[in-house]
Amino acid sequence: ISPAPVGVQAIITAAQISDLNVFYNSTGGPLWTVKTNWGDQGAGVCNWYGVKCTGGNYMTGLDLVNNNLYGTLSRFTLFTDMQYANLSRNNLYGTIPSGMFSIFNFQTINLSYNNLNGSIPSIT
């Protein structure tokens, strides 16, 4: 899986873009180590740093390892094609949102080396 070519628009709705912007703001996006194109809809979501898309331009992953994310996890309730997320080695805190694993086609999620607490939600 690799980013879409520059200028290729993802098949992502306005509501999904809104979810990504909530995630960006709730995790200190302006202070991320790398934040290339985040919030720039003209660049296409598949060209936002760490966003991974299929050749068909569906968002399937988020890879923001060691990128100075600081804050709480928000739920990506609208990304049913998402297969993996690697948010390890950041400063995420709080709990993992309930239902987070049941809404995705997750194959892998890595939240290690953060400051999360509470129980891990059911995987269904």
Side-chain angles (χ1 to χ4, degrees):
I1 298 173
S2 60
V6 174
V8 173
Q9 295 296 315
I11 302 168
I12 297 177
T13 67
Q16 290 171 320
I17 291 169
S18 177
D19 263 10
L20 286 172
N21 285 323
V22 167
F23 172 77
Y24 178 80
N25 290 317
S26 72
T27 58
L31 301 175
W32 288 2
T33 305
V34 182
K35 54 186 173 282
T36 306
N37 293 328
W38 272 82
D40 181 357
Q41 293 182 36
V45 173
C46 290
N47 294 304
W48 293 8
Y49 177 79
V51 173
K52 305 301 178 190
C53 296
T54 64
N57 300 321
Y58 291 94
M59 183 178 154
T60 56
L62 196 56
D63 191 355
L64 295 168
V65 177
N66 198 25
N67 200 41
N68 200 38
L69 279 65
Y70 180 84
T72 58
L73 284 172
S74 56
R75 281 174 61 184
F76 293 103
T77 56
L78 303 173
F79 288 95
T80 55
D81 293 323
M82 205 155 142
Q83 297 172 358
Y84 72 95
N86 190 347
L87 306 175
S88 65
R89 298 188 179 273
N90 285 291
N91 288 305
L92 299 172
Y93 58 86
T95 60
I96 300 169
S98 108
M100 183 173 191
F101 300 119
S102 61
I103 56 175
F104 301 119
N105 290 318
F106 269 134
Q107 295 171 6
T108 306
I109 184 166
N110 187 346
L111 300 171
S112 63
Y113 298 99
N114 281 290
N115 296 307
L116 297 166
N117 58 43
S119 59
I120 297 172
S122 297
I123 299 172
T124 56

